[in-house]
């Protein structure tokens, strides 16, 4: 047992991930239907327990760390420059992401030769029901901006509304600072609560190797690699575009702009990437991303606690990149001619829609209804495309989520460095072996 804990956590998590893939594929191809049932009945519950454990941390962790981050910063005016830099860089990376998605989609042609008439009527009507039920995901940006102000913070906590909690936590932190002496006991209590929450997060992260194993076993046992036969080119295009985006855009920020060692950055966030890959949710991964940022990348609490939760909602590079690919997939499958203006519109829409939606599994596909309308798809064509993509989304979603949280971590590192909140010694110390 002692030997287990001597192995660094990221290696144990990667072991869980690899074994999960092997066992899951073994069950899928070895015993087929029975294997999938076995994994769903007996292994998935452990994965769900793990997801529940990390989700349990999200609300109290964001609130306490953000309030103590603001009070530690000492000067509310600093919040403005920090927030401005974060939002600006988030927008720039997202635009790069869509551009890479559109570029790879043009080269790989994921939709060329795809036979849309083969989609079953059942899949189409199933999809229509899902779209009807998803009105929430397609709200306008203006409406979403106003909703950031909570009318009842307790309700925001109860619903786990991250943007509203961020808004209230910042106001609360600023209030503590303005109240000076009188605010100090409250600020100290919240700071101590934040420390406690970080400790609980560390305990939960010790269960990550098992949680990741269980989730990967279940995903692979129930889905197998069938997606490769149906949407092989799409999978290839997405994985390639995500890897390029992480290497060029995120890598460019870390190495090119900040002059920091790239390998240590990627090593520092391996745990978060593995959890993102297996859970397909950047919101659920948030506690792990925050811990990796503070412990491994040396990002100061004021930055990690504000920029990362913001990023989990407004910065979704993988999601935006996928919007570009979906647009090209549909255009190629239906033979729609795209002009340069269409490309521009897709880039703009993808950036905007990905800002207003929280990172949860398969949210990309709901956003795609807007993207597809932009290139001139009619309602029927939109439903067909989603009916093609939905059943096989998981493997794609996993990679998008990794890209989403990598973007959050890269931008946080940049903001931390610019704000003087990056402990470079810690960053450079991350062990790569
Ligand atoms: N699952 C992704 C996330 O949580 C969102 C998406 O569907 O692209 O970040």
């Amino acid at each position: 047992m002692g030997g287990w804990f001597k192995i660094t956590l990221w290696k144990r998590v990667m072991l869980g991930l690899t074994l999960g893939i092997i066992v899951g594929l073994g069950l899928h191809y070895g015993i087929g239907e029975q294997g999938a049932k076995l994994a769903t009945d007996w292994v998935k519950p452990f994965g769900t327990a793990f997801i529940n454990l990390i989700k349990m941390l999200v609300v109290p962790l964001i609130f306490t760390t953000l309030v103590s981050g603001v009070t530690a910063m000492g000067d509310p005016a600093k919040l403005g420059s920090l927030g401005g830099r974060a939002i600006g860089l988030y927008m720039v990376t997202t635009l790069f992401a869509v551009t890479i998605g559109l570029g790879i989609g043009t080269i790989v042609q994921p939709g060329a030769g795809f036979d849309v008439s083969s989609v079953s009527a059942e899949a189409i009507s199933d999809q229509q029901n899902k779209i009807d039920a998803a009105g929430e995901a397609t709200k306008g940006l203006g409406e979403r901006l106003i909703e950031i102000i909570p009318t009842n913070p307790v309700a925001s906590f109860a619903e786990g509304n991250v943007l509203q909690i961020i808004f209230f936590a910042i106001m609360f932190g600023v209030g503590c600072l303005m109240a000076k002496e009188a605010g100090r006991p409250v600020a100290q209590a919240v700071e101590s609560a934040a420390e406690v929450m970080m400790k609980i997060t560390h305990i939960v992260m010790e269960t990550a190797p098992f949680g990741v194993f269980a989730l990967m076993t279940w995903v692979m046992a129930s889905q197998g690699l069938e997606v490769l036969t149906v949407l092989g080119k799409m999978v290839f295009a997405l994985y390639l575009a995500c890897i390029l985006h992480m290497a060029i855009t995120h890598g460019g920020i870390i190495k090119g702009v900040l002059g920091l060692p790239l390998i240590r950055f990627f090593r520092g966030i391996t745990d978060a990437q593995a959890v993102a890959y297996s859970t397909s949710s950047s919101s659920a991964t948030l506690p792990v991303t925050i811990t990796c940022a503070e412990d491994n990348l040396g990002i100061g609490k004021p930055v990690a606690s504000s920029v990362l939760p913001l990023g989990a909602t407004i910065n979704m590079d993988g999601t935006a990149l996928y919007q570009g690919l979906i647009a090209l997939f549909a255009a190629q499958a239906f033979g729609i001619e795209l002009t340069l203006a269409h490309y521009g519109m897709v880039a703009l829409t993808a950036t905007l829609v990905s800002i207003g939606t929280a990172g949860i599994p398969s949210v990309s596909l709901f956003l795609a209804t807007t993207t597809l309308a932009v290139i001139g798809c009619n309602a029927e064509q939109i439903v067909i495309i989603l009916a093609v993509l939905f059943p096989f989304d998981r493997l794609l979603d996993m990679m998008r989520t990794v890209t989403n949280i990598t973007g959050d971590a890269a931008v946080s590192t940049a903001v931390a460095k610019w704000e003087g909140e990056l402990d470079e010694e810690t960053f450079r110390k991350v062990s790569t072996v």
Side-chain angles (χ1 to χ4, degrees), residues 90-167:
Y90 277 152
M91 301 276 268
V92 173
T93 52
T94 308
L95 263 175
F96 268 75
V98 205
T99 311
I100 292 181
L102 287 168
I104 296 297
T106 310
I107 298 167
V108 176
Q109 303 260 323
F114 191 89
D115 180 13
V116 276
S117 62
S118 63
V119 187
S120 73
E122 197 189 332
I124 293 178
S125 83
D126 194 38
Q127 201 45 55
Q128 187 62 57
N129 295 338
K130 281 196 182 128
I131 293 178
D132 293 343
E136 170 67 14
T138 49
K139 275 187 194 166
L141 192 65
E143 208 178 331
R144 286 189 176 277
L145 280 178
I146 292 174
E147 276 177 8
I148 293 176
I149 307 170
T151 49
N152 176 356
V154 179
S156 322
F157 281 66
E159 288 160 11
N161 186 322
V162 172
L163 287 185
Q164 291 187 349
I165 297 172
I166 293 178
F167 187 90

Side-chain angles (χ1 to χ4, degrees), residues 304-384:
S305 63
S306 57
V307 180
L308 287 170
L310 192 67
T313 317
I314 73 163
N315 183 52
M316 299 205 282
D317 291 0
T319 304
L321 178 157
Y322 192 49
Q323 299 304 309
L325 282 178
I326 293 182
L328 290 184
F329 180 87
Q332 289 151 9
F334 289 118
I336 302 172
E337 281 290 325
L338 292 187
T339 60
L340 207 58
H342 279 123
Y343 275 71
M345 282 296 285
V346 168
L348 198 68
T349 326
T351 308
L352 292 180
V353 290
S354 71
I355 288 176
T357 322
I360 51 168
S362 282
V363 82
S364 274
L365 292 174
F366 293 109
L367 304 181
T369 49
T370 317
T371 314
L372 290 170
V374 164
I375 60 159
C377 282
N378 60 35
E380 196 193 339
Q381 288 173 324
I382 293 178
V383 179
I384 292 177

Side-chain angles (χ1 to χ4, degrees), residues 107-367:
I107 298 167
V108 176
Q109 303 260 323
F114 191 89
D115 180 13
V116 276
S117 62
S118 63
V119 187
S120 73
E122 197 189 332
I124 293 178
S125 83
D126 194 38
Q127 201 45 55
Q128 187 62 57
N129 295 338
K130 281 196 182 128
I131 293 178
D132 293 343
E136 170 67 14
T138 49
K139 275 187 194 166
L141 192 65
E143 208 178 331
R144 286 189 176 277
L145 280 178
I146 292 174
E147 276 177 8
I148 293 176
I149 307 170
T151 49
N152 176 356
V154 179
S156 322
F157 281 66
E159 288 160 11
N161 186 322
V162 172
L163 287 185
Q164 291 187 349
I165 297 172
I166 293 178
F167 187 90
F168 183 66
I170 291 177
M171 298 283 283
F172 195 91
V174 171
C176 286
L177 286 175
M178 289 174 72
K180 298 204 169 80
E181 276 309 307
R184 198 148 297 159
V186 181
Q188 270 167 355
V190 180
E191 198 185 318
S192 131
E195 283 302 315
V196 172
M197 285 314 302
M198 282 308 275
K199 290 284 175 263
I200 304 178
T201 309
H202 284 128
I203 299 174
V204 172
M205 277 175 67
E206 288 299 326
T207 67
F210 307 101
V212 167
F213 168 78
L215 289 167
M216 289 312 297
T217 303
W218 163 68
V219 169
M220 289 301 165
S222 51
Q223 304 240 331
L225 294 174
E226 267 74 315
V227 61
L228 294 179
T229 45
V230 187
L231 291 170
K233 275 202 278 180
M234 188 59 148
V235 177
F236 174 69
L238 179 85
Y239 273 64
L240 178 67
C242 284
I243 290 171
L244 285 177
H245 180 61
M246 286 189 276
I248 298 171
T249 314
H250 303 154
I253 292 174
I254 299 297
K255 182 118 190 107
V257 180
L258 306 175
L260 294 166
L262 200 53
I263 184 141
R264 301 205 180 253
F265 169 75
F266 281 110
R267 199 351 252 115
I269 56 165
T270 308
D271 293 344
Q273 286 183 319
V275 172
Y277 195 67
S278 52
T279 60
S280 278
S281 165
S282 31
S283 298
T285 312
L286 191 52
V288 185
T289 321
I290 294 178
T291 317
C292 286
E294 289 190 14
D295 292 356
N296 302 341
L297 302 183
I299 296 178
K301 196 185 272 174
V303 174
S305 63
S306 57
V307 180
L308 287 170
L310 192 67
T313 317
I314 73 163
N315 183 52
M316 299 205 282
D317 291 0
T319 304
L321 178 157
Y322 192 49
Q323 299 304 309
L325 282 178
I326 293 182
L328 290 184
F329 180 87
Q332 289 151 9
F334 289 118
I336 302 172
E337 281 290 325
L338 292 187
T339 60
L340 207 58
H342 279 123
Y343 275 71
M345 282 296 285
V346 168
L348 198 68
T349 326
T351 308
L352 292 180
V353 290
S354 71
I355 288 176
T357 322
I360 51 168
S362 282
V363 82
S364 274
L365 292 174
F366 293 109
L367 304 181

